[in-house]
Amino acid sequence: TEGTFTFQAINKRGLPKLGGGDAFSVSVLPAPGVASASVAFVEGSTWIVRYNVTAAGAYTVSVRIGSFSLAGSPRPLTVEPGAVTSLARITVRGSGLQAAVALNRTSFTIVAADAFGNPRRSGGDEMTAVSASKSIQFLGTVVDNGNGTYTVSYVPSLAGSFDISVMFQGAPIPNSPFTVLVTPPTAAFYPWCLASGTALQAHSAGQDVS
């Protein structure tokens, strides 16, 4: 969004300098994050500065007339990320979107950003993650970290390849669905272990049984 502020032109006697025509200039630094910056006469002795900064961060605003800086210039400027999450700018990170182990909990992180790609610093977005494959069904657990990131955890039930859909307000984020390769567990999962054999019912004393 556009930022604005006004200032008054004062002459050498300390009185308002009426009318335009002065060579005021404005700069916002560092320049790479600045889309535009301008100064214009309004009326009387009032001038207005307009600027548009797309990258969140720390800047300085300087207003000059010729080679001289105005009183109080330069001034620090802090630009915060936009207040609205952009679907097109959401990203994900973490190995849980590439590989997992069956019956083991794995996770990945959703990173919300504004329309200019600045990571959000607050939560409250509606994020979901669900299996997009018939062979492996689950609904991921999403934890809002309150800082613009969301931790998703899930437990795949079977080994194999499956797709996971990540959505913001019901719409898929860029590159969703993601294909995850699930490998078999390296250790036995005792709730699924089965025992069989006649020795489970009866045996004769002194004899080996199985």
Side-chain angles (χ1 to χ4, degrees):
T1 58
E2 184 181 68
T4 64
F5 64 88
T6 60
F7 65 90
Q8 304 296 315
I10 305 296
N11 63 25
K12 292 181 179 180
R13 293 183 294 173
L15 300 174
K17 197 274 185 186
L18 302 177
D22 296 295
F24 288 111
S25 62
V26 60
S27 64
V28 181
L29 299 174
V34 181
S36 62
S38 63
V39 58
F41 175 68
V42 180
E43 62 180 358
S45 62
T46 302
W47 293 72
I48 187 169
V49 171
R50 294 184 174 90
Y51 61 86
N52 195 327
V53 179
T54 58
Y59 296 83
T60 57
V61 181
S62 299
V63 180
R64 293 174 171 267
I65 181 168
S67 60
F68 298 96
S69 296
L70 270 63
S73 179
R75 297 183 65 88
L77 170 68
T78 300
V79 177
E80 300 290 344
V84 178
T85 294
S86 170
L87 172 64
R89 294 290 191 168
I90 297 174
T91 58
V92 290
R93 66 189 184 209
S95 60
L97 275 180
Q98 291 85 40
V101 178
L103 308 178
N104 285 262
R105 184 169 296 278
T106 189
S107 64
F108 60 91
T109 302
I110 304 171
V111 181
D114 66 16
F116 298 103
N118 299 299
R120 296 283 317 286
R121 296 176 183 171
S122 60
D125 291 319
E126 179 190 341
M127 302 289 187
T128 55
V130 298
S131 168
S133 300
K134 294 181 179 180
S135 59
I136 303 178
Q137 293 292 314
F138 70 86
L139 175 64
T141 300
V142 181
V143 176
D144 185 343
N145 298 317
N147 60 0
T149 67
Y150 302 79
T151 300
V152 180
S153 62
Y154 65 96
V155 180
S157 58
L158 300 171
S161 179
F162 74 100
D163 291 335
I164 178 171
S165 293
V166 180
M167 292 173 287
F168 167 58
Q169 296 180 344
I173 70 170
N175 301 316
S176 181
F178 302 87
T179 300
V180 180
L181 178 62
V182 181
T183 57
T186 56
F189 185 60
Y190 71 88
W192 288 9
C193 294
L194 298 176
S196 62
T198 58
L200 289 174
Q201 289 81 39
H203 70 278
S204 298
Q207 294 183 347
D208 291 333
V209 294
S210 62

